[in-house]
Amino acid sequence: MNSDILRSPKQIGNAIRRRRRSLDMNQTELGQKTHLRQASISGLEAGNAGTSLRTLFDALTALDLELVVRERTKASSSSIEELF
């Protein structure tokens, strides 16, 4: 998987969905691996703001992904508008 810059819950959710699908896994299977309900996985992938950090990290672990925190890169104003 490529290293993506993710700046919103929706972008994180999309990245998790892409990874899950690349592993040929459905939401229920990911839920079973993480001991979460399918609805929680769906909410995470949809970028729901109420998703807990525990849910996020459980999904990342199950998908063999990690979160890296670094200084924000500078972007043009048009790139920033795409976030919203």
Side-chain angles (χ1 to χ4, degrees):
M1 180 174 190
N2 292 339
S3 180
D4 295 325
I5 296 175
L6 308 171
R7 293 185 172 163
S8 72
K10 186 172 176 103
Q11 289 175 333
I12 292 170
N14 287 335
I16 288 172
R17 179 183 303 110
R18 283 191 309 271
R19 174 64 171 179
R20 175 182 57 77
R21 287 179 176 171
S22 76
L23 295 173
D24 199 29
M25 186 184 303
N26 63 40
Q27 289 181 343
T28 300
E29 292 167 330
L30 180 55
Q32 290 169 345
K33 283 187 80 166
T34 58
H35 305 287
L36 296 167
R37 297 176 313 123
Q38 178 274 329
S40 296
I41 302 300
S42 177
L44 173 62
E45 290 183 358
N48 289 351
T51 300
S52 74
L53 286 174
R54 170 62 61 197
T55 298
L56 171 61
F57 280 95
D58 286 349
L60 291 174
T61 299
L63 297 170
D64 200 27
L65 297 172
E66 62 186 6
L67 179 68
V68 176
V69 177
R70 66 178 192 179
E71 287 188 35
R72 188 177 191 122
T73 57
K74 304 299 180 208
S76 68
S77 59
S78 63
S79 297
I80 293 171
E81 289 174 7
E82 292 173 7
L83 299 176
F84 305 98

